[in-house]
Amino acid sequence: MNFLDSNLIGVLTCNMSFLKNFKLDFFIGGFSGDNIKIKNNGNELEVGISDNPAPNPMNIYSHLINNNQWQEFWEEIDEQGIWNWKNSYSDNTIRDGTQWELNLEKDGKIKKTWGSNDYPENFDMFIKSINKIAKTSISDEDY
């Protein structure tokens, strides 16, 4: 008797390919605060945090993200319109401050964007999504 029907096998195959076909790479930090680097390796999420001043080494931890969590994260990214963010955001009137960089890839879409002391209008919504999936506590005081 076969306990896996063909529909379930199709779902498992789809979910496994989902885990291999995306990229999340995010950095936020600056000279006067913590630096945080978040990057996926398949369904594993690596989080590195270093205290400043640079170049202190990063303390790195990782944890597995399940399919439902990834699906929810990518739905939030789509809803927030992050694929439509400008390529760069910069406030040249502030020296030092906070820099950030985001690289996303999913379903043939690529978004590479960065900022220096300037952010997209809904950056705080994105940070909430990052905090949820990465188990971090980045706050608006950090940027």
Side-chain angles (χ1 to χ4, degrees):
M1 176 179 237
N2 187 353
F3 291 102
L4 293 176
D5 68 21
S6 61
N7 291 332
L8 181 56
I9 291 171
V11 169
L12 291 174
T13 302
C14 176
N15 285 341
M16 293 305 290
S17 65
F18 172 78
L19 292 175
K20 297 177 184 176
N21 296 323
F22 66 89
K23 174 183 175 180
L24 165 61
D25 190 350
F26 177 65
F27 168 83
I28 188 165
F31 185 76
S32 62
D34 291 344
N35 290 305
I36 301 170
K37 173 84 170 160
I38 300 167
K39 183 175 183 174
N40 80 296
N41 181 11
N43 63 340
E44 183 177 22
L45 199 60
E46 298 173 354
V47 179
I49 301 173
S50 71
D51 299 327
N52 269 325
N56 285 347
M58 288 197 149
N59 297 314
I60 299 174
Y61 67 91
S62 63
H63 57 278
L64 294 175
I65 307 298
N66 69 43
N67 289 355
N68 291 336
Q69 291 169 308
W70 278 121
Q71 185 68 34
E72 183 178 336
F73 173 78
W74 289 110
E75 286 173 2
E76 290 173 5
I77 294 299
D78 290 341
E79 290 168 4
Q80 294 167 13
I82 292 173
W83 302 106
N84 299 319
W85 281 3
K86 298 186 301 186
N87 292 335
S88 65
Y89 297 82
S90 185
D91 181 346
N92 296 327
T93 65
I94 301 174
R95 294 182 186 216
D96 293 329
T98 302
Q99 289 71 47
W100 61 273
E101 183 176 347
L102 175 64
N103 296 301
L104 298 175
E105 295 181 20
K106 183 177 175 284
D107 296 335
K109 296 185 283 190
I110 297 173
K111 174 45 78 181
K112 294 182 179 189
T113 183
W114 65 273
S116 180
N117 305 307
D118 194 20
Y119 312 90
E121 190 173 300
N122 59 340
F123 193 74
D124 58 335
M125 291 172 48
F126 168 71
I127 292 297
K128 287 179 185 175
S129 297
I130 283 290
N131 282 337
K132 185 168 41 171
I133 199 159
K135 300 177 182 168
T136 52
S137 57
I138 304 166
S139 75
D140 60 359
E141 294 175 5
D142 296 321
Y143 57 90

